[in-house]
Amino acid sequence: FFAATDVGRVREHNEDNFLVYRSPYIDQGWRHPGDCDVFNGLVYVPMEPGEGFAAFNAIGRFNTSDLSYHPLLLMPENSPQRRGGDFPWLARNPRNGLWYSSRFDATELYVYDISASAITYKGAVKLPQRFDHVQGGEFSPSGRLFLSMDRGAGLVSLELGEGLGSTAALTQVLPLNWVIDDEEIEGLTVWNLEDGRAPGIRGQVHVLMIDAYEASNDDLYFKHVRITPVEAL
């Protein structure tokens, strides 16, 4: 479980987290949550069936105040992410208020408008190259998108073009140090900690990593990444 609070904002990123396993979602057939985002007092969780029996992917929502839950929103019929357990992350773009996601092996970003009662699929934004094993995504306050992945460098940033059908530009490749096929990169959060509010921690992008294949007492790690120059955040 990954949670960080900054001036009323909460970021929660995890797999198989207590939010889902303490909610009715698990009994409704969804067992695999992805990398989450928070907006306006709600945690938005991309939900895959995983080992459950649900027929479609969905979005779960929890109140940040008491972690009470809202009814699931099913992915729309025309969404490329409706089926197939291919809904690893979800993040809101502060520039336009729309929500973005991708497949696990991604060549496009999928764009959604989410209301209190429905999800509308708006279209796609092309990626400049294929990114494999995408585990998490998060926008910075300026609207730059950071993606964490369990292949390649591990972390990249993208500048999104204007409008659907455009192509995002790769702005930075930020290599992370980890053992592929032993350790696993997970979700991330964008949170500027250069002011020292978190003792011993600096940087602006923070990535969760687990040691997935060997049981020990140090299986959970955080990778703290400093973005240089900070204007690139």
Side-chain angles (χ1 to χ4, degrees):
F1 175 71
F2 179 20
T5 303
D6 179 20
V7 194
R9 293 183 296 119
V10 178
R11 297 285 188 254
E12 305 196 6
H13 306 282
N14 64 319
E15 292 219 336
D16 299 337
N17 64 58
F18 80 94
L19 282 178
V20 172
Y21 280 89
R22 290 173 61 91
S23 79
Y25 298 160
I26 187 171
D27 296 325
Q28 296 168 5
W30 285 273
R31 296 183 63 93
H32 193 277
D35 188 33
C36 318
D37 203 355
V38 169
F39 174 68
N40 200 25
L42 291 177
V43 185
Y44 289 77
V45 186
M47 301 292 303
E48 302 172 359
E51 297 178 355
F53 57 83
F56 310 115
N57 296 327
I59 294 176
R61 295 165 297 162
F62 297 86
N63 292 316
T64 58
S65 58
D66 59 6
L67 300 184
S68 58
Y69 65 92
H70 293 252
L72 281 161
L73 299 176
L74 292 180
M75 298 302 289
E77 292 185 2
N78 64 340
S79 167
Q81 294 178 285
R82 180 171 170 83
R83 294 179 181 268
D86 216 346
F87 196 16
W89 63 277
L90 180 69
R92 182 180 182 273
N93 185 345
R95 284 185 182 175
N96 58 18
L98 297 174
W99 295 77
Y100 289 69
S101 185
S102 76
R103 296 186 187 274
F104 188 54
D105 296 327
T107 58
E108 295 179 307
L109 300 173
Y110 303 119
V111 186
Y112 301 95
D113 187 13
I114 302 176
S115 70
S117 59
I119 308 167
T120 302
Y121 175 60
K122 304 291 287 185
V125 172
K126 296 178 182 178
L127 289 170
Q129 65 186 66
R130 173 172 166 147
F131 296 113
D132 289 333
H133 291 213
V134 178
Q135 298 274 32
E138 179 82 4
F139 284 92
S140 71
S142 71
R144 185 151 290 170
L145 176 62
F146 290 82
L147 295 178
S148 59
M149 61 202 71
D150 199 31
R151 287 294 184 272
L155 182 66
V156 299
S157 68
L158 300 160
E159 184 71 30
L160 271 57
E162 295 294 332
L164 301 174
S166 61
T167 300
L170 182 64
T171 52
Q172 283 192 309
V173 177
L174 303 154
L176 299 175
N177 181 26
W178 91 104
V179 181
I180 296 176
D181 292 327
D182 180 31
E183 299 164 326
E184 185 175 326
I185 298 297
E186 299 291 346
L188 73 154
T189 192
V190 178
W191 190 18
N192 193 346
L193 294 177
E194 286 297 306
D195 61 4
R197 76 183 77 178
I201 298 175
R202 295 294 186 271
Q204 293 83 27
V205 180
H206 313 276
V207 182
L208 182 66
M209 188 190 76
I210 61 171
D211 188 345
Y213 302 102
E214 180 179 349
S216 70
N217 61 1
D218 61 349
D219 285 345
L220 182 67
Y221 307 84
F222 293 95
K223 300 288 185 179
H224 306 289
V225 181
R226 180 175 281 118
I227 304 302
T228 305
V230 72
E231 289 76 19
L233 186 64

